[in-house]
Each structure stands twice: as C-alpha cells, then as structure tokens.
Amino acid sequence: MNGTDKQVVWLKGEIKSPPFSSAARIEAGMLLRRLQRGESIGLPHSRPMPSIGRRCHELRIQDQDVTWRIVYRIDFDAIVIGNVFPKKTGSTPKNVIDACKSRFKRYDELIQLN
C-alpha cells in the first residue's frame, strides 16, 4: 500500500481460506487492491448496489462451488466492506441489504463523531 491507496475498512466479514479457495481469495484480494488504488471496476467483477446506497457495489467472486459476494462502498478515503457472503440465489437477500444499510449508517455516525 502506498500513500495514495485507500484503506480497507471491514465492518463485517473476512476473506480467508477456507471457506474461500486459495484462487478465490487471491482474486478477491487483487480486486480489492485495484479498488484501493482508485480503479473503477465494472461487470462482470462488480456491479452497483443502489438498493443499499450511493457508492455501494458488490464484488463477484466465482469459487469452485459457490459464488462469493463482497458488498462495499467507495468513500473518499476508504473502501468500506459491509458484508462477505456466499450468494445462492439470483437476488441479494433482503436481510443482507438491510444489514449493510445499517452498518454503513452506523459507520457514518461514528466517523462524524471524530
């Protein structure tokens, strides 16, 4: 990480092997590094998640037998991770959307206190 890279702030979840395969963990790390450096990532690796909020997206990591999702928000100074979960259906579960909204809101409140 250099002086211009954004930090990664983990509100929920982690990327480790297991449950991620080694290849999926490396791919996730490479995509997060690109985000830290300010690169914009589009489909098929990332898609916007306006249902969660402004600047919110989800990374898509295809693993051996599961597709991982990493919900993140791009802030001025950080990439904020709201959740990491295996996606098994076509749509993001409502409980994941609601939890991410709540986590990002609480994070914003804590940041404003400082």
Side-chain angles (χ1 to χ4, degrees), residues 45-91:
H45 299 295
S46 181
R47 76 175 182 99
M49 294 290 294
S51 59
I52 295 174
R54 292 179 51 236
R55 306 180 321 275
C56 292
H57 307 264
E58 73 173 5
L59 285 178
R60 301 165 162 201
I61 311 295
Q62 184 59 51
D63 208 343
Q64 297 164 346
D65 58 351
V66 66
T67 302
W68 294 99
R69 295 295 196 255
I70 302 169
V71 177
Y72 67 97
R73 186 177 74 185
I74 301 171
D75 283 2
F76 174 74
D77 60 345
I79 304 300
V80 185
I81 308 297
N83 204 348
V84 177
F85 65 99
K87 191 165 180 186
K88 300 174 183 170
T89 64
S91 60

Side-chain angles (χ1 to χ4, degrees), residues 11-12 49-53 56 58 71 73 81-83 85 91-107 109:
L11 303 180
K12 172 75 174 169
M49 294 290 294
S51 59
I52 295 174
C56 292
E58 73 173 5
V71 177
R73 186 177 74 185
I81 308 297
N83 204 348
F85 65 99
S91 60
T92 303
K94 184 177 179 341
N95 65 324
V96 170
I97 291 171
D98 292 344
C100 287
K101 284 180 180 180
S102 177
R103 287 182 191 119
F104 290 136
K105 181 180 178 188
R106 181 69 180 133
Y107 174 78
E109 291 168 352

